[in-house]
């Protein structure tokens, strides 16, 4: 199965690059499954139902979230009906929505998309390791499902790497999100799970984590803000990871970074482009 | 000028890969200036004088540090005589050592190597932005010095990106360290400064930030430790960034990621290999 | 029922004041139930079995813990047999020991002693609010048990006050620990639960949270440590809270701060001293 | 000199209790110097010029602030003309306002009022210990000034206690603010400085740190907010500390907790009431 995961879409800048490029990638790369993190899609903070539908229409089979899941309060309502919208599984019991969604691919394969949130230097949630155990309990990769994609939304590299190893062999892909900067450590772990510490964001890198740099710089240097954070404009990059799984096992066979457009060095899954 | 910066060397695993590969790179790439972060070189925690000398002998013109600078207490003493060993400039006044060192390259050019520590989700130090202003005051790039390399040792991508833009035009390179995972966002900022959010580490990526994964996983899942952190063994990677500066301005002309060996995707400065 | 709770016993200094004064208080005040937080009893870090037995022998019916529960590794073993030693209930499932203990008082009444840990500015544990719900489920105060004492080991006043209100009406007493400074906000909440944000510590207040002040001051001002933390010596104070419950309901009828000895202003339950 | 310090005034509830009671205390206790922390006076967040004037009119000689200093943006402007309004001294250089104010008392004595902010578990500011050194440099207590009052606005008890000892002998009073809960550890340190870890707040204790408890409880238990924080209503308490200094040295001769009204146990400076 050919899987593409795209990191946090930030504001209109990020949405535009997804809308304009994702449909072409779906066909060029013959993608089977596309997952996009949408926690910053609405002006940098949360997601609206219309934006969710737009990202789905552009080719996403599922949309994941993070600590900004419910910045747009309406998400508490519409998440109940948007079945491919996934919020972190380790929110308290009773939180609207779901922490994992079963998705049927274009070819009729079954993929489980999971979202979990880290807790080091983040709002303290319940144990993400125990949460992913509960989600994956009984969902044997290669038997019950053809693919498992885990978006681990977390701050630190240590928690993310530990989480990757913890899931190794049980997921097709564990990919980090939240820092908005793509890491270059994509690889296949010993148990067969593709791993990347952070997918980076879809948005403008001529800013501070996708936001116009003036206000963040003011806060860092003066310790007093003067306005709101606004998404940075300018040329945008699409960032994420491409994974090809073994149909028999659901584990990763090939993995490549994806970085297209904007000022970043380009990266593509050359194994799909020959 | 040809500059190579290597990220945090972790334990013997990291030292071995630096010792075995750096001398060859210095000659193959005709490097003018090599800076290596050594804050984790001694078993993962700090640095000894012997290790400092070894890294220097392998080709480093300067060694930078970070939050682990003084984990080996003897560093408080020997740092006074190891003139190319640089600790964060924003330690309190009176801290042994220096926050910046002027280095003469093989060709007689002058390079200033600076180390500053971030404070978001780290031990609270004095303002890193004000600290770098003090260090760079009067040190005009291209006139007073031929190169300025700033190692910004920090946790978050936001503080690092803000710091990069803050120094843009005043440094040849601003490179982040501390997370031990290489990012893929190397680029030249609008003002001419080469930038990378994190250089990654020199060590084994089959672990958690370079340490054997068993103990970190235990602490994340059980919340009770059972032993010490030990550097991971296994195939090691050398990670960092390569920058070629314009001799007239000291600003960056070309930039490339460096990732060699271990399980990471390889990256090299192809512009030096033709 | 007459309940005395004493805050974190710090090192030998703290143990000595408990050993010397608690037996007298048990008889003078005709105490029915004594609970002591012992997380710092062994040199400031954790507890040993011998120390636990000493505190019990001095009059404690139960001993609670906190983030330092297992600093002495042997506690992972002996906690299985020390039935009145209670560690935070929101440690991960499978952690040795128990998060609540049923204690029989001198007069044959039943008291439940609960320990829960906060997570704001502390190591992220599972939800303390959900944890106390699970512990108290089916344990109706005044029917199933005669008293419920909850030691909420937490850093911030906001989490502690919220926790107090959350338990109001279900516990005889919710008392905070961990900051090692007694607060003066003891009161009975609207639902009948006695509440105090922090019990303070049993130890020397001529230090920094009970430890000799030299090393903490060095770390705050120089950012580099030079030694270990050692319990402060000098005149020690006994700090805690006294609660008298209504035998019919188990709720609080009277509450008083307890501060005896050392340099603190003295406070006593005058309603037991007439 | 007779000094009264009152902790963080929270919203209208807090302002009302200050307005109604402070004038009487000034005359009943024959106060020479009154300092009030006003960082939460405007709806819980910051201060307006009108509110500042009201607190001054009620008897305050100086008003201190904290991390909420500039929540009301207009404070960046009016603080330049409100000479007895003091914001933390360790804001970055160039921040509007002042970190210390010299106040003349009713009897013509000179008192220096200082505000400094801690940085453990708070926004990282520059070193508070170095900041207070700079403020007090050359201001010898008992010679240059008759009193020095330091409001140390900080989260943790350890940083506050360390700060108290650090200033011991150089200030008449070091009093903590920010946690909104009064501690009971008022005492005179060995060098003669009166000390209290936290003054508590002026406002309603039937809430969570002075705010209506519903929203904080929702956020703690559900991790998703549903509204704004609003000051709690209901009976309010006035909290702080009373210090009598030696006219010859400016050091403390007597110290007492002050807690009046609301549901807290009452405390008064009985040495002024005979
Ligand atoms: Fe994000
Ligand atoms: Fe996020
Ligand atoms: Fe490091
Ligand atoms: Fe580091
Ligand atoms: Fe403690
Ligand atoms: Fe504790
Ligand atoms: Fe406050
Ligand atoms: Fe505050």
């Amino acid at each position: 199965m050919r899987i593409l995961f795209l990191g946090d879409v930030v504001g209109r800048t990020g949405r535009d690059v997804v809308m304009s490029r994702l449909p072409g990638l779906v066909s060029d790369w013959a993608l089977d499954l596309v997952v996009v993190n949408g926690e910053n899609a609405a002006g940098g903070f949360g997601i609206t139902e219309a934006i969710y539908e737009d990202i789905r229409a552009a080719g996403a089979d599922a949309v994941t979230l993070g600590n900004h899941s419910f910045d747009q309060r309406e998400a508490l309502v519409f998440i109940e009906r948007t079945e491919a919208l996934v919020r972190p599984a380790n929110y308290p019991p009773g939180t609207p929505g779901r922490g994992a969604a079963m998705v049927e691919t274009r070819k009729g394969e079954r993929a489980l998309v999971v979202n979990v949130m880290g807790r080091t230097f983040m709002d303290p949630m319940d144990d993400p390791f125990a949460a992913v155990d509960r989600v994956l309990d009984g969902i044997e990769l290669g038997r019950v499902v053809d693919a498992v994609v885990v978006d681990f939304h977390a701050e630190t590299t240590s928690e993310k790497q530990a989480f990757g190893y913890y899931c190794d062999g049980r997921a097709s892909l564990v990919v980090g999100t939240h820092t908005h900067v793509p890491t270059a450590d994509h690889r296949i772990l010993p148990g067969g799970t593709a791993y990347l510490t952070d997918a980076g964001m879809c948005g403008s890198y001529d800013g501070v984590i996708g936001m116009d740099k003036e206000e963040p710089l003011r806060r860092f240097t003066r310790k007093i803000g003067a306005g709101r954070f606004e998404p940075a404009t300018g040329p945008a990059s699409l960032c994420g990871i491409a994974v090809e799984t073994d149909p028999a096992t659901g584990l990763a066979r090939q993995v490549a970074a994806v970085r297209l457009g904007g000022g970043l060095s380009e990266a593509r899954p050359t194994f799909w482009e020959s």
Side-chain angles (χ1 to χ4, degrees), chain A:
Chain A
M1 194 188 302
R2 292 182 170 195
I3 303 172
L4 175 69
F5 181 94
L6 297 179
D8 311 39
V9 177
V10 179
R12 173 173 297 280
T13 313
R15 293 185 334 251
D16 283 352
V17 70
V18 170
M19 299 307 143
S20 67
R21 301 206 59 163
L22 181 53
L25 298 179
V26 170
S27 73
D28 291 355
W29 294 343
L31 298 172
D32 295 304
L33 177 69
V34 176
V35 180
V36 176
N37 185 298
E39 72 144 4
N40 308 108
F45 299 94
I47 192 167
T48 64
E49 190 166 15
I51 290 173
Y52 164 77
E53 298 295 355
D54 283 350
I55 295 173
R56 290 274 281 134
D61 297 286
V63 174
T64 52
L65 295 166
N67 54 312
H68 291 290
S69 297
F70 300 107
D71 284 2
Q72 306 293 325
R73 291 277 165 73
E74 60 186 276
L76 287 162
V77 177
F78 73 71
I79 200 171
E80 294 289 6
R81 58 181 180 259
T82 46
E83 296 184 0
L85 183 58
V86 186
R87 48 85 181 152
N90 52 340
Y91 266 106
T95 301
R98 65 211 64 75
M102 194 67 82
V103 167
E104 191 176 349
T105 68
R106 287 148 188 78
K107 293 180 185 150
E109 296 154 313
R110 287 158 55 85
L112 186 74
V113 176
V114 186
N115 193 194
V116 184
M117 194 146 49
R119 49 186 187 174
T120 304
F121 303 148
M122 299 191 79
D123 193 20
M125 309 298 286
D126 281 348
D127 186 348
F129 296 84
V132 81
D133 279 348
R134 283 194 300 272
V135 167
L136 296 183
D137 184 45
I139 310 283
E140 200 181 339
L141 182 61
R143 297 179 66 92
V144 176
V145 290
D146 299 292
V148 169
V149 172
V150 181
D151 171 354
F152 186 49
H153 196 78
E155 176 69 38
T156 67
T157 51
S158 57
E159 194 176 15
K160 282 158 148 174
Q161 290 182 332
F163 200 81
Y165 283 109
Y166 190 74
C167 297
D168 188 19
R170 296 189 286 166
S172 310
L173 168 65
V174 170
V175 57
T177 54
H178 179 66
T179 73
H180 292 200
V181 172
T183 60
D185 61 335
H186 50 281
R187 60 194 188 272
I188 299 176
L189 302 180
T193 295
Y195 172 80
L196 176 65
T197 294
D198 206 289
M201 64 155 181
C202 297
S204 168
Y205 282 81
D206 185 24
V208 172
I209 56 168
M211 309 307 275
D212 185 88
K213 61 178 100 62
E214 193 183 345
E215 180 66 17
L217 265 164
R218 183 183 296 113
R219 297 192 190 186
F220 276 118
T221 56
R222 300 193 199 165
K223 290 295 169 189
I224 301 169
R228 306 164 68 95
F229 289 115
E230 301 286 351
T233 51
S237 305
L238 199 82
C239 283
I241 183 170
V243 180
E244 177 155 339
T245 59
D246 181 325
T249 63
L251 293 169
R253 238 171 12 191
Q254 304 212 69
V255 59
V258 173
R259 297 188 301 275
L260 302 172
L264 300 188
S265 73
E266 189 164 288
R268 307 168 149 273
T270 51
F271 45 78
W272 291 340
E273 296 197 325
S274 55

